[in-house]
Amino acid sequence: MTDPRKNDAVLVTGATGTLGPYLCAELLRQTRATVYCLVRGTDQVRAQTRLRARLRKAAAPDLDSPRLRVVRGDLTERRLGITPAEYDALAETTSAVYHCGASTNLAAGYDDIAPLNIGGTREVLGFARHRRTKTVHHVSSLGVFAEAHSAGHPEVDEQDIPSAPMAGSIDYSGTKITSELEVRQAATDLPVTIYRPGLILGDSRTGATDPGELFTRILRAAITVGLAPTTAAQAPVAPVDYVARALVALSQLPATGRTYHLIEPTPLIISDLFAHARNYGHRLDLCDTTSWRRALDDNQAHSAAATIISFWKSVHYLLDTPADYQAPHVHSRATRRALASLNIPCPTSDQAFFTRVFDHLTATRVLPAL
């Protein structure tokens, strides 16, 4: 296996998403590899501008580094949407692919997101086989276990392999299961490692938070209607900077074929999320989930409420409200052992963390000022 700490090159997909910019920043920090980023854009200048804007938010160490390069392309197109000559040259240059490009649009149907989430993964696997064998670091999701409890798996860990019934009726989870299984099948001739984050929170250092992330959207909706649903649900989470730092560090271990759960040791209690908002100063009265949904319906003129309604099915699962639904308990013991050996502790998402998050969301006008 090629060591990215040496002067090599890697390809990153999803570099302008939530995790991707932090992943690029950590590759620049932790390795000496040249980092090629596959970015969509109408031309090279726009693609570069788009990437730099995202990296700036992730506090990348050197935006002008000659090791950071943009490849204008598209995961949904054949040969990554680049010319045959560029494709061959890139395939000969790179030793690994960090594949986190995916649609996380929870309102979209399976057929709408499959071309990117499944087709894009197939393109990455084809690229990894072309010219020289490349290691594939595939970012999956703990969403693959959305209905694991109902499918007979009340607890899951890194060794569990998802199956179609575990996705339930959530289309995003279904596409992530299919793509993960195809990566596993590719392990017969490619070195692969799989990483499963849970819900990705803001930057533990600065509070910088993607406004498109699920927990941010739920907070916006709750604050918009002044109500928070009562729930005993919990969710596996971790700050985005920790997920990226841990992933890049684990990717430099010599062994492949492993799966890692990039989450905090203790899940986030969803009701605590609303408590943090109240402690920050937002007024949130408690109500049952049915009343909360009714309040959202009554406030559909507000985009925050309308957005939650558009992917209510996923929110319903997160809040643990279906009568016959219970989320599985997710373990990460093997991952924590590996990270302990690398001296990478996980920060705690406590009130101080959420204060930084609320400061950022307020400053960027994602949440209203008090």
Side-chain angles (χ1 to χ4, degrees):
M1 174 182 170
T2 304
D3 187 344
R5 287 171 293 190
K6 298 178 180 177
N7 297 329
D8 220 315
V10 300
L11 175 66
V12 176
T13 71
T16 57
T18 296
L19 176 62
Y22 287 86
L23 184 59
C24 291
E26 285 300 327
L27 284 166
L28 291 174
R29 284 193 187 96
Q30 295 188 38
T31 80
R32 296 197 298 271
T34 299
V35 181
Y36 289 91
C37 301
L38 187 72
V39 181
R40 286 182 291 110
T42 54
D43 56 45
Q44 186 71 12
V45 172
R46 285 182 173 84
Q48 289 175 331
T49 301
R50 187 165 169 240
L51 177 64
R52 286 172 66 88
R54 294 295 292 171
L55 288 175
R56 191 173 293 111
K57 291 183 178 180
D62 187 359
L63 295 178
D64 297 316
S65 171
R67 294 169 46 216
L68 181 64
R69 304 185 185 180
V70 174
V71 178
R72 188 170 68 89
D74 192 326
L75 263 178
T76 64
E77 296 182 9
R78 186 168 176 265
R79 287 195 305 265
L80 304 178
I82 60 181
T83 68
E86 290 174 315
Y87 188 80
D88 289 345
L90 189 62
E92 290 171 353
T93 303
T94 52
S95 62
V97 184
Y98 289 79
H99 177 42
C100 64
S103 170
T104 58
N105 185 351
L106 297 175
Y110 188 94
D111 292 340
D112 296 319
I113 57 179
L116 177 55
N117 293 3
I118 300 173
T121 298
R122 290 171 181 166
E123 286 297 325
V124 164
L125 294 175
F127 175 76
R129 294 185 176 99
H130 190 61
R131 296 287 183 169
R132 63 185 287 199
T133 298
K134 303 162 196 65
T135 302
V136 176
H137 298 285
H138 175 70
V139 180
S140 184
S141 166
L142 283 171
V144 298
F145 295 126
E147 286 239 29
H149 195 289
S150 301
H153 297 269
E155 299 186 7
V156 293
D157 64 17
E158 296 92 338
Q159 301 306 311
D160 284 299
I161 298 175
S163 61
M166 294 184 184
S169 58
I170 299 177
D171 292 324
Y172 166 74
S173 298
T175 63
K176 293 302 284 185
I177 283 180
T178 300
S179 61
E180 179 177 321
L181 292 178
E182 294 204 8
V183 170
R184 290 182 176 278
Q185 291 169 1
T188 57
D189 65 315
L190 287 175
V192 303
T193 302
I194 294 170
Y195 308 85
R196 297 182 187 132
L199 289 181
I200 295 180
L201 303 180
D203 189 317
S204 66
R205 303 158 299 183
T206 66
T209 302
D210 190 329
E213 280 303 298
L214 179 58
F215 94 96
T216 312
R217 293 182 182 275
I218 289 175
L219 276 174
R220 284 190 65 209
I223 291 170
T224 295
V225 300
L227 294 171
T230 54
T231 174
Q234 302 178 355
V237 301
V240 62
D241 55 308
Y242 166 76
V243 173
R245 184 165 62 254
L247 194 159
V248 172
L250 291 167
S251 75
Q252 296 175 64
L253 295 176
T256 59
R258 296 182 178 178
T259 301
Y260 297 104
H261 286 175
L262 303 178
I263 55 177
E264 295 181 8
T266 304
L268 173 68
I269 299 172
I270 302 300
S271 61
D272 284 353
L273 179 65
F274 302 123
H276 291 314
R278 285 192 295 272
N279 290 339
Y280 191 77
H282 291 287
R283 178 174 178 176
L284 289 176
D285 295 327
L286 295 177
C287 65
D288 59 53
T289 307
T290 301
S291 298
W292 194 59
R293 172 57 197 258
R294 189 179 303 118
L296 295 174
D297 289 335
D298 292 342
N299 288 272
Q300 288 190 61
H302 295 277
S303 62
T307 298
I308 292 298
I309 293 170
S310 71
F311 49 79
W312 179 253
K313 185 189 300 182
S314 298
V315 175
H316 209 216
Y317 276 101
L318 180 63
L319 298 177
D320 251 351
T321 50
D324 59 348
Y325 177 72
Q326 186 176 352
H329 182 75
V330 179
H331 294 287
S332 58
R333 289 183 289 260
T335 303
R336 294 204 306 274
R337 285 195 297 270
L339 289 172
S341 71
L342 297 169
N343 196 29
I344 298 181
C346 183
T348 302
S349 298
D350 53 14
Q351 182 65 52
F353 165 76
F354 278 103
T355 295
R356 292 191 292 275
V357 167
F358 285 116
D359 283 345
H360 171 82
L361 292 175
T362 303
T364 54
R365 299 184 179 181
V366 174
L367 296 180
L370 296 171

